[in-house]
Amino acid sequence: MIQQLEAILEEAKAKIRQASDLNELGDLKALYLGKKSAFSAAMQDMRMMSESERPLFGQRINAIKAELSTLLEQAKTQIEKAVIEQKLQSEAVDITLPGKPIRLGATHLVTQIIEEIENLFVGMGYTIEEGPEVELDKYNFEMLNLPKDHPARDMQDSFYITEETLLRTHTSPVQVRAMLANHNQRPFKIICPGKVYRNDDEDKTHSHQFSQIEALVVDENTSLSDLKGTLLLLARTLFGEERQIRMRPSFFPFTEPSVEVDISCHRCNGAGCSLCKGTGWIEILGAGMVNNAVLSMAGYDPEKYQGFAFGVGVERVAILRHAVDDIRQFFVNDMRFNRQFR
Ligand code: PHE
């Protein structure tokens, strides 16, 4: 019987050597060391042996079981190692491969233009003033010479929040707030950039939200020619050194006189093209001398002080300068659009 068992031992050793995965090893362990294995059966059979045979036989079986157990352990460790090796190889990262590029964003075109204008005016001694987007009717309209029920309120369709508060329709209320707060500053020169909101139907040139920059100067000897010189500089900074400007009479409740300002067309240089609709001129902003009523309400003596103001739509400048075909492009944050202006 012992020879038979030695043969099984040899067979088991061979199989363990060949085993290539952990499942196979598990099966082998059950087969050779489990309750139904030949060695366990042999232990049972020992009862029938003589007293003299039994100890030697028992020792041998135990030794065989111990040997197999060690072999199985070793095989298991080896297979586990091999599995890890294989994983390391198949999941290896080639650190010499070029990486995926991190694509840089771009400053939004509207922000770029706001910064260009800010730089120009800060260089001329203006300070930048900001104010709330949810504004009091008082500052957005009343103190700008637009009392309740004034028909000119229709020029700026508004989003009201309550009777007395609304989303500001222009950045002019910032000027009112600044005038009220800075009476001692002479000359008083500010620009007010920011978002404004109007209840307009959306289309290629209208959006319910857009950006504006307004400027205000109050001093003792301010005239329309100061305004014109300032606007000429602005036009040339934004649209090129060759630009000319012209003023046409217009109406705003907060300025008197009021003007609409055109620049000579930057595409055809005034010859007439599709952009300027053949006229050679493009309307760019509204401006004027601060209405005496506005000065008085802000606490200035209009006999002594004058001021000029203008307001420019930033998206409109961007559309004209960069031939953007739809104002809504500025608000959808399509990076393919934004990156073009890096
Ligand atoms: N606040 C005016 C608007 O939004 C623009 C403007 C500002 C006109 C200053 C004249 C003077 O329509």
Side-chain angles (χ1 to χ4, degrees):
M1 185 156 76
I2 197 79
Q3 277 95 345
Q4 223 177 340
L5 292 175
E6 297 291 351
I8 295 176
L9 171 64
E10 288 312 311
E11 172 198 298
K13 279 183 178 170
K15 283 195 179 157
I16 292 170
R17 247 180 271 123
Q18 281 158 20
S20 61
D21 68 47
L22 294 174
N23 288 340
E24 221 179 315
L25 269 189
D27 292 346
L28 290 175
K29 187 171 177 182
L31 181 63
Y32 293 111
L33 293 179
K35 287 206 181 78
K36 290 181 183 148
S37 70
F39 303 108
S40 300
M43 290 295 234
Q44 300 286 317
D45 293 346
M46 267 193 337
R47 273 173 298 167
M48 277 130 44
M49 289 182 181
S50 64
E51 290 282 348
S52 57
E53 277 177 313
R54 209 182 286 161
L56 266 178
F57 187 80
Q59 277 168 20
R60 183 58 195 143
I61 299 285
N62 279 335
I64 287 175
K65 283 178 121 177
E67 186 178 354
L68 283 178
S69 182
T70 319
L71 284 175
L72 281 165
E73 269 314 306
Q74 285 170 352
K76 188 175 166 208
T77 322
Q78 246 170 32
I79 289 174
E80 280 169 352
K81 235 169 106 181
V83 168
I84 290 171
E85 288 291 325
Q86 210 216 332
K87 253 195 167 166
L88 281 175
Q89 288 218 333
S90 65
E91 291 170 14
V93 175
D94 182 352
I95 57 167
T96 64
L97 282 176
K100 289 202 183 105
I102 297 169
R103 304 205 62 176
L104 282 181
T107 305
H108 197 283
L109 180 57
V110 168
T111 308
Q112 287 183 38
I113 291 174
I114 290 175
E115 285 172 358
E116 282 173 45
I117 300 176
E118 283 177 351
N119 284 341
L120 172 68
F121 281 90
V122 166
M124 294 192 290
Y126 288 61
T127 50
I128 300 171
E129 291 283 343
E130 289 182 338
E133 288 173 27
V134 176
E135 186 52 281
L136 292 173
D137 185 277
K138 181 170 111 183
Y139 295 134
N140 193 82
F141 286 132
E142 279 167 58
M143 293 191 70
L144 288 163
N145 201 27
L146 276 152
K148 292 218 163 71
D149 303 323
H150 193 290
R153 283 197 179 202
D154 294 348
M155 290 166 77
Q156 302 184 354
D157 248 333
S158 319
F159 290 113
Y160 273 90
I161 292 163
T162 66
E163 289 256 308
E164 298 300 332
T165 51
L166 71 161
L167 294 179
R168 67 181 179 196
T169 55
H170 48 183
T171 52
S172 306
V174 182
Q175 307 180 342
V176 174
R177 287 170 176 274
M179 282 192 283
L180 291 171
N182 291 289
H183 275 147
N184 306 321
Q185 191 185 319
R186 301 279 184 278
F188 181 67
K189 303 201 287 188
I190 58 167
I191 52 163
C192 315
K195 294 192 192 81
V196 301
Y197 303 86
R198 290 186 196 177
N199 196 0
D200 281 331
D201 289 331
E202 309 250 324
D203 61 24
K204 279 179 189 284
T205 55
H206 293 87
S207 164
H208 65 277
Q209 176 203 311
F210 58 99
S211 307
Q212 229 183 18
I213 292 198
E214 298 204 357
L216 170 70
V217 171
V218 180
D219 203 359
E220 286 185 39
N221 287 300
T222 316
S223 71
L224 202 65
S225 58
D226 296 317
L227 172 62
K228 190 168 183 189
T230 307
L231 291 175
L232 185 61
L233 195 60
L234 176 65
R236 291 182 172 173
T237 303
L238 291 175
F239 289 95
E241 277 306 309
E242 317 81 61
R243 297 285 68 73
Q244 297 296 336
I245 61 167
R246 72 175 186 186
M247 290 172 157
R248 286 177 291 109
S250 183
F251 171 78
F252 297 105
F254 26 86
T255 47
E256 183 60 38
S258 300
V259 291
E260 211 75 64
V261 179
D262 299 340
I263 59 167
S264 57
C265 181
H266 53 287
R267 189 195 280 169
C268 63
N269 232 340
C273 68
S274 62
L275 185 65
C276 58
K277 302 193 180 77
T279 65
W281 295 95
I282 298 173
E283 183 190 321
I284 181 103
L285 56 82
M289 299 305 293
V290 181
N291 193 304
N292 282 352
V294 173
L295 287 174
S296 307
M297 278 187 272
Y300 288 96
D301 175 4
E303 295 295 323
K304 199 166 163 208
Y305 296 103
Q306 314 81 40
F308 68 73
F310 67 84
V312 59
V314 183
E315 284 81 0
R316 181 163 166 77
V317 168
I319 284 171
L320 290 170
R321 195 170 79 177
H322 300 272
V324 176
D325 62 1
D326 193 327
I327 191 169
R328 290 166 289 198
Q329 290 276 21
F330 294 117
F331 308 109
V332 293
N333 277 330
D334 183 336
M335 287 307 287
R336 292 169 303 178
F337 175 78
N338 294 357
R339 276 199 200 97
Q340 294 178 75
F341 307 105
R342 197 148 46 201

